[in-house]
Each structure stands twice: as C-alpha cells, then as structure tokens.
Amino acid sequence: MTVTVLVADDQALVRTGLRMILETRDDIEVVGEAENGAEAVRLAAQTLPDIVLMDLRMPGVDGVQATQQLTTAEHRPSVIVLTTFDEDELLYAALRAGAGGFLLKDARPAELVEAIRVVAGGEALLAPRVTRRLLDRFVAEVHPEPVATPHLAELTNREIEVLTLIAQAASNAEIAAKLDVTEGTVKTHVSAILRKLGLRDRVQAVVLAYDLGLVRPKSPGGS
C-alpha cells in the first residue's frame, strides 16, 4: 500500500528536502507541498493525503489552526507535526487540536519514514520523553483538578489499566508484557477504549488520561 503525503512548511528548502527523502521510498508518495496552513487545508481537500507533515510556525494560518481544520474536515488525514524543542506550547495545542503525533525536526531520514508508516498504520507517534514533558508542563494549567466524564464508567478495570499505560507512552508490546497478555489483546482493548470514550487515536487518549487524573503531572522538582 502506498502512503500519500502532503508536506506543509513555509521554507522551500525544507519542503524540497522532505520530498527528496520520501520519494526514495517505494511505499510513500508526496502528493503536494504547501507553504502555509491555508494552502495545506486547500491542497488536502484536493489531493486527499493519508498523512500531512505539518510545520507549526507558518504565516497566516499556522500549523495549529490548520491541524484543527484538517482533523474536522470531511476527509481527515493524519497530521504529524514537525517541531523543535522550543515549541512546546504550540505542540501541545496541536496535539489537542487532533495531531496524530509529532517528530523532532532533527530526526534522521529513517526516523521520518518510519514515523509516516507508523501513523499510516493507525498508531500514534509519541516520543515518551517529550510527551511527558509537555503534559507535565501544560495539563496542570488547563485542568488543575481531574475532570469527570460519564464515559469512564463504561471502561472495564483492565481497559483503565491499558489507558493508564497508554498515557505513560507505552507501546502495545510494552503493555502486553506488563499485563501478561498478547499484543492482539492489547489492540482489542485500545480499540474498545477509543470507541467508548469517543476518541480518534492514542494521542487523544493520552491527553484525556491526564485530564481524568489517571496520570498526574510531576511537580516542578519531581523526577
């Protein structure tokens, strides 16, 4: 299966570099380039990509706004945010807007390709160290106390365990080993969690788990 990709970045050299990396792979096709968020939304409606590689800082409609529009459109591509370590606030906003994951801009070409394949396969792309730092920094500001949701009562105890481990950025294999079950069983639990809570992917599950207080932000001086 060929994964179609739209590249959105305001720097032409960056777009060209990403295209050159991706077009060396037989299973990835770049279907368009956008220099701002508005153009990314317009081209996505025309080309219907599987994945949008989204820069956060672009003129006019930025990456966060474009992500919000893309993830609520009729055709909903998965969005992978391209970020740097100094863009925490924008990245957190993009994750809340529906981005399916993120990749640091200094990632190696092989990591970029693998990221696209992972997200195209339905998995979230979460770097544990960066994700935990983001959530520890911002969730307490947004929800200083756990929020209640009637849907949580629909989860079984095992599903709550799985959701908690997802929030700790554990992979399916790591969850399976922790709970002594098969990866297939974990995938079934994850699907049930997303369905019952009305979530699109694991990124939303991580944010919600923090909101619910299943995982709490570390204190500033914590380890």
Side-chain angles (χ1 to χ4, degrees), residues 126 135 147 149 151-172 175 179 186 189-199 201-215:
L126 297 168
L135 294 172
V147 298
T149 172
H151 300 296
L152 188 60
E154 298 180 15
L155 300 186
T156 65
N157 289 336
R158 177 47 60 90
E159 287 167 352
I160 291 175
E161 285 183 283
V162 172
L163 177 57
T164 302
L165 291 170
I166 289 173
Q168 296 168 356
S171 66
N172 285 349
I175 295 173
L179 300 181
V186 173
H189 285 316
V190 172
S191 296
I193 291 166
L194 298 182
R195 184 184 69 255
K196 290 179 179 181
L197 298 180
L199 304 174
D201 56 35
R202 292 169 81 108
V203 175
Q204 288 189 330
V206 170
V207 174
L208 181 61
Y210 270 78
D211 288 347
L212 295 174
L214 296 178
V215 181

Side-chain angles (χ1 to χ4, degrees), residues 24 49 61 110-112 130 144 152 186 192 203 216:
T24 62
V61 177
E111 292 175 319
L112 170 65
V130 181
L152 188 60
V186 173
V203 175
R216 299 302 297 153

Side-chain angles (χ1 to χ4, degrees), residues 59-119:
V61 177
D62 65 18
V64 175
Q65 295 170 306
T67 296
Q68 177 70 53
Q69 294 180 41
L70 288 171
T71 56
T72 56
E74 182 176 355
H75 170 71
R76 302 181 182 183
S78 296
V79 176
I80 299 177
V81 169
L82 301 176
T83 185
T84 61
F85 272 108
D86 63 352
E87 295 180 324
D88 276 0
E89 189 167 359
L90 286 174
L91 175 54
Y92 184 66
L95 293 178
R96 279 199 169 274
F102 60 89
L103 193 68
L104 294 175
K105 287 185 176 180
D106 61 359
R108 298 187 301 271
E111 292 175 319
L112 170 65
V113 172
E114 181 61 20
I116 289 172
R117 291 170 177 162
V118 165
V119 174

